[in-house]
Amino acid sequence: SKVNNFERVKDTKALEIDYMQRLTIQHADIVVSPSQFMLNYLTENGWTLPAQSYVEQNIVMNSRISSGETEEKVATVDEIVFYGNLQPSEGLVLFCDALDKLSKSSLNFRVTFLGDVMDVQGISADDYIQLRSRMWTFDYSIVSGKNRYESLRFLSVGSRMAVVAPERSNSPLRIEELLLAKIPFLASNVGGISELVDSDQILFAPRHDKLALKMKDALEQGVELASFAHCPVMTKNAWVDFFGSIRATPFDVPLPQP
């Protein structure tokens, strides 16, 4: 998290944890990652991975998430919702930069910031947003204190479109939950996000001009409803079979691939 928020390491505890994590991975029998991006990242940063290192997406716990029923391929948009903690690593500054650009258009829309209020550049996020809003021509609101199920219900009302804009990420569960609920969204194409969706039309490079253009297109033409790049049911079955095979595997036999 310190790397994602561009924070300096101020004590040795973080270094000790990093060392222990590296040893844990190095001496593991098997490593399963939700994205190829993370395996590549670890290798590029000097981590030693065991020979049995595989990719298998996370299981989406859908018992409390209402799956969307729409058969539409494109959703209309009149409200843009920043979805994530209100902090730089989640793309808050980038999003506000994009809003500066979008505000110059004649489009009619409103914006909601949906997430917990954190610190941004030494001040609280709500104060930061208020400072940034001085030149905006649209209304905005901040909604915080909701858990992820309440957030999904909020996003499913009206013609809202979520924007998930982390500057760095592995395989965010938020993306899979949005896909399951069939909520329209845009997402930055960082980390393993592109491995989760079946279309690059809803992805943007983490630059404010690219995001502003995507949001403008969504307001004018609607936004494509993306689908899973993998089957959630098959993913769940793969994990169940994997753990079942481990219980039946002698200790001196290589573990099976999930």
Side-chain angles (χ1 to χ4, degrees), residues 14-256:
L15 298 177
E16 294 173 2
I17 293 174
D18 178 79
Y19 176 73
M20 289 188 289
Q21 289 176 332
R22 287 173 183 262
L23 283 184
T24 300
I25 293 294
Q26 181 176 345
H27 296 288
D29 293 308
I30 184 170
V31 167
V32 183
S33 167
S35 70
Q36 185 61 48
F37 158 77
M38 180 52 69
L39 294 180
N40 294 342
Y41 175 86
L42 294 176
T43 300
E44 292 166 1
N45 284 273
W47 293 55
T48 301
L49 303 181
Q52 297 189 90
S53 297
Y54 308 110
V55 174
E56 188 63 69
Q57 279 78 20
N58 295 319
I59 296 175
V60 184
M61 303 300 291
N62 61 3
S63 60
R64 294 182 61 184
I65 301 176
S66 298
S67 179
E69 301 297 332
T70 180
E71 298 298 326
E72 298 293 330
K73 301 298 183 182
V74 177
T76 58
V77 176
D78 61 21
E79 182 175 349
I80 299 171
V81 182
F82 178 88
Y83 184 30
N85 287 339
L86 308 186
Q87 61 187 33
S89 65
E90 295 290 343
L92 178 63
V93 176
L94 180 147
F95 183 71
C96 289
D97 290 344
L99 291 179
D100 287 347
K101 192 174 184 64
L102 188 61
S103 182
K104 298 175 183 178
S105 72
S106 59
L107 295 169
N108 183 27
F109 65 98
R110 63 174 289 108
V111 171
T112 299
F113 295 84
L114 177 61
D116 292 337
V117 175
M118 313 294 281
D119 287 337
V120 182
Q121 299 177 2
I123 60 176
S124 67
D126 47 358
D127 289 337
Y128 175 82
I129 293 170
Q130 184 178 27
L131 289 172
R132 294 297 305 264
S133 69
R134 291 177 177 176
M135 300 297 292
W136 294 347
T137 57
F138 50 83
D139 293 330
Y140 80 90
S141 60
I142 298 175
V143 177
S144 60
K146 292 185 178 294
N147 64 37
R148 69 179 193 266
Y149 304 112
E150 293 169 338
S151 296
L152 290 170
R153 286 194 289 270
F154 176 87
L155 288 164
S156 66
V157 175
S159 298
R160 291 169 172 152
M161 177 187 71
V163 173
V164 182
E167 297 185 9
R168 300 180 187 182
S169 187
N170 176 18
S171 184
L173 183 60
R174 275 174 297 162
I175 297 294
E176 296 188 269
E177 291 176 339
L178 289 169
L179 289 168
L180 183 64
K182 294 186 179 179
I183 293 171
F185 68 92
L186 300 174
S188 54
N189 62 351
V190 298
I193 291 179
S194 63
E195 299 176 44
L196 298 174
V197 299
D198 67 344
S199 171
D200 60 2
Q201 295 301 309
I202 53 94
L203 302 177
F204 60 89
R207 289 171 38 187
H208 77 278
D209 56 332
K210 298 294 185 181
L211 174 55
L213 181 59
K214 284 286 186 179
M215 292 192 296
K216 182 175 182 293
D217 288 345
L219 290 167
E220 292 179 334
Q221 306 168 27
V223 62
E224 178 181 346
L225 280 168
S227 299
F228 283 97
H230 63 280
C231 174
V233 174
M234 292 181 64
T235 296
K236 179 180 179 180
N237 292 340
W239 277 109
V240 171
D241 293 344
F242 171 62
F243 284 113
S245 64
I246 286 180
R247 293 197 312 178
T249 301
F251 288 113
D252 59 346
V253 176
L255 294 172

